[in-house]
Amino acid sequence: MLSRRATDRSNPTQRLEGEAALSRVIRWLCLAPLLILCCAPTAHALGPHELLLLSNARSPDSMRVADDFARLRGVPDVNRVALDLPESWPAHPMDVSPSDFERHIFSPASAAARERGIDGHVLAWVYSVDFPTRVTTTPATSLTGATFVRGRFPPAREIEDGRYASPLFAGPHGRRGTAHFSQSLDVSRAWLAGEMPLPAMMLGYTGPRGNSIEQVLACLAHGARAREAAPQGVVFFITSDDVRSRCREWQFLPAVEELRARGIAAEILPSIPTGEVTAVGLTLGTAVLPPTPSLRLAPGALAEHLTSFAAVFEDGGQTKLTEWIARGAAASCGTVTEPRSIWTKFPNARLHVHYAAGCTAIESFYQAVRSPLQLLIVGDPLAAPYARPDCRARLRGLTDSPAAGMLRVELLLDGTDAERFLQFAFWLNGRPAGGDRVVWLDTDELQPGSTNRLRAVAYETGFVRRQVWAEGSFTVAGRQQVSVKH
């Protein structure tokens, strides 16, 4: 059940401000009944029309990976932004100054979303390959961390000590802390409003000690296929005498209990299994991963190992997060600078609980990390192997004949879970067009002879709001030239 967030006073680096925590809980409890009924749209749990997909226009690899992800996931063209990054940047830049991050990445991407009229429903940003991984703040932050706070960095000590508290973190805040339900990003935005951060991920890293383009594309393809069947395997939590493991072992047993309550197999072991086993998730702490040739990662698996340099790619002394991608994980993460063994900077064991609740990979990571500013999160943001509702969507009203006048289109749902999907939205060429099961489109306001894409989305009620959608196209008849209505 929902519970008060406790203040952990056992370690000054893990301390929350009691008043802020209590205030947030009060706001949550007041809004919770409303959120179940009237949240803004989101997808299984996050949808492709709620992403801003960024690519490096000067990199063919970046464009190719973005193309593949957009095709696999159905990202609308209007949600894609190719940034004209400086020619002076190397093919695989790792560092970017805060001012260059603002000037060349954050500001132009934000402006593009505003000009296209999609900034109001974009909930997360996704970077393709060939972007910087680290912002040279003091201390350093990751590209995804800098995006999360929209370039408005908290005091250096809060970053360094892991005391920055993400408003998306679902707890617990310490050994005696409590946690709250998993939820999708639209639910978070409904009660955070203007305090909503901007979660971000990278689709891949292909620089030194990174993955090949083929491995990145395979990761995205595996993530997209992960929803075809229920995941089969075990979530493993690995303990050891390594401080990297000890600093968060207290999280393991509660997570195992939550997973088993959901029917997910979970085990706490002293080492990575060496036999023929399949993992749907792995959480451990070690500087160097041992060879595990018989360990198979199931499609959609999340895996990470708490260590200092998993995303410090110029240092070859520790295993990189990219090793997990090469082994078949849908997503992984690592810090871009020395984090110390501060658990708040790494995923809580409940990462796998949020995933099992039906959240996407990006939603699961950000609910599991209390202080994500130095963490680089890489992989398929929309991987969601547990979000598999028995509900199918289809459109009625679109034909092959050119449309004229008012066009009526209806969203129809089939399946045993159809009655759970009670909110709806239509998107015309990637922009909101209606919020009911039926939409009327005035084709006289569209360009004559143009072909238009219409997507209808149905949203499930609850805290994790999965979605299903159907998409089709229609051509506008007529001769008179008119401008497209935004």
Side-chain angles (χ1 to χ4, degrees), residues 262-281:
R262 291 183 174 275
I264 309 298
E267 300 289 343
I268 302 173
L269 299 176
S271 62
I272 297 178
T274 56
E276 295 287 340
V277 294
T278 299
V280 295

Side-chain angles (χ1 to χ4, degrees), residues 203-256:
L203 296 178
Y205 171 75
T206 56
R209 299 184 176 88
N211 295 117
S212 66
I213 287 295
E214 289 70 27
Q215 288 173 334
V216 172
L217 296 177
C219 169
L220 300 179
H222 291 160
R225 289 198 298 268
R227 295 183 70 212
E228 296 175 1
Q232 300 295 320
V234 182
V235 177
F236 291 106
F237 300 94
I238 309 302
T239 63
S240 72
D241 291 334
D242 194 317
V243 65
R244 299 168 180 85
S245 173
R246 295 200 312 271
C247 72
R248 57 177 178 178
E249 279 183 14
W250 57 272
Q251 305 166 6
F252 291 174
L253 182 57
V256 166

Side-chain angles (χ1 to χ4, degrees), residues 172-229:
H173 292 277
R175 296 175 186 272
R176 296 181 298 278
T178 52
H180 66 70
F181 289 129
S182 304
Q183 59 192 45
S184 45
L185 284 178
D186 62 334
V187 175
S188 297
R189 186 177 64 178
W191 61 274
L192 283 174
E195 298 176 18
M196 180 69 181
L198 186 54
M201 277 182 67
M202 292 186 71
L203 296 178
Y205 171 75
T206 56
R209 299 184 176 88
N211 295 117
S212 66
I213 287 295
E214 289 70 27
Q215 288 173 334
V216 172
L217 296 177
C219 169
L220 300 179
H222 291 160
R225 289 198 298 268
R227 295 183 70 212
E228 296 175 1

Side-chain angles (χ1 to χ4, degrees), residues 209 287-288 309 315-320:
R209 299 184 176 88
V288 179
F309 301 129
D315 182 287
Q318 298 181 0
T319 303
K320 305 306 164 193

Side-chain angles (χ1 to χ4, degrees), residues 155-465:
R157 185 54 65 87
E158 289 191 16
I159 301 174
E160 186 172 8
D161 292 344
R163 290 189 288 110
Y164 168 79
S166 163
L168 299 186
F169 181 54
H173 292 277
R175 296 175 186 272
R176 296 181 298 278
T178 52
H180 66 70
F181 289 129
S182 304
Q183 59 192 45
S184 45
L185 284 178
D186 62 334
V187 175
S188 297
R189 186 177 64 178
W191 61 274
L192 283 174
E195 298 176 18
M196 180 69 181
L198 186 54
M201 277 182 67
M202 292 186 71
L203 296 178
Y205 171 75
T206 56
R209 299 184 176 88
N211 295 117
S212 66
I213 287 295
E214 289 70 27
Q215 288 173 334
V216 172
L217 296 177
C219 169
L220 300 179
H222 291 160
R225 289 198 298 268
R227 295 183 70 212
E228 296 175 1
Q232 300 295 320
V234 182
V235 177
F236 291 106
F237 300 94
I238 309 302
T239 63
S240 72
D241 291 334
D242 194 317
V243 65
R244 299 168 180 85
S245 173
R246 295 200 312 271
C247 72
R248 57 177 178 178
E249 279 183 14
W250 57 272
Q251 305 166 6
F252 291 174
L253 182 57
V256 166
E257 292 173 345
E258 284 194 82
L259 287 167
R260 289 177 177 173
R262 291 183 174 275
I264 309 298
E267 300 289 343
I268 302 173
L269 299 176
S271 62
I272 297 178
T274 56
E276 295 287 340
V277 294
T278 299
V280 295
L282 271 167
T283 286
L284 63 155
T286 182
V288 179
L289 292 181
T292 53
S294 60
L295 176 67
R296 176 180 176 270
L297 294 182
L302 303 182
E304 55 88 22
H305 62 294
L306 186 158
T307 192
S308 298
F309 301 129
V312 182
F313 296 105
E314 69 271 27
D315 182 287
Q318 298 181 0
T319 303
K320 305 306 164 193
L321 68 89
T322 46
E323 176 65 21
W324 289 116
I325 304 299
R327 296 188 187 197
S332 188
C333 64
T335 48
V336 297
T337 189
E338 171 59 65
R340 296 181 286 163
S341 55
I342 300 175
W343 68 264
T344 59
K345 298 184 181 184
F346 295 87
N348 183 282
R350 295 188 78 229
L351 166 71
H352 306 285
V353 175
H354 303 307
Y355 208 40
C359 293
T360 58
I362 189 170
E363 291 169 319
S364 300
F365 271 104
Y366 280 100
Q367 289 179 92
V369 185
R370 184 185 158 204
S371 193
L373 302 191
Q374 295 182 314
L375 196 68
L376 185 71
I377 308 175
V378 177
D380 183 355
L382 293 183
Y386 297 96
R388 301 174 58 252
D390 180 18
C391 182
R392 294 163 297 282
R394 53 193 174 93
L395 295 177
R396 182 166 63 188
L398 297 181
T399 67
D400 294 334
S401 302
M406 298 301 294
L407 177 65
R408 181 186 186 275
V409 183
E410 181 179 4
L411 172 62
L412 302 177
L413 300 177
D414 304 297
T416 57
D417 289 343
E419 62 185 18
R420 295 174 55 87
F421 290 76
L422 299 178
Q423 280 92 41
F424 312 96
F426 278 85
W427 309 77
L428 180 61
N429 298 324
R431 299 179 178 88
D436 207 340
R437 189 187 286 263
V438 175
V439 67
W440 288 89
L441 302 174
D442 187 353
T443 63
D444 291 337
E445 296 184 349
L446 300 173
Q447 185 72 29
S450 63
T451 298
N452 300 271
R453 297 292 295 176
L454 184 66
R455 175 176 296 184
V457 185
Y459 306 96
E460 185 181 27
T461 58
F463 291 101
V464 178
R465 303 210 317 140

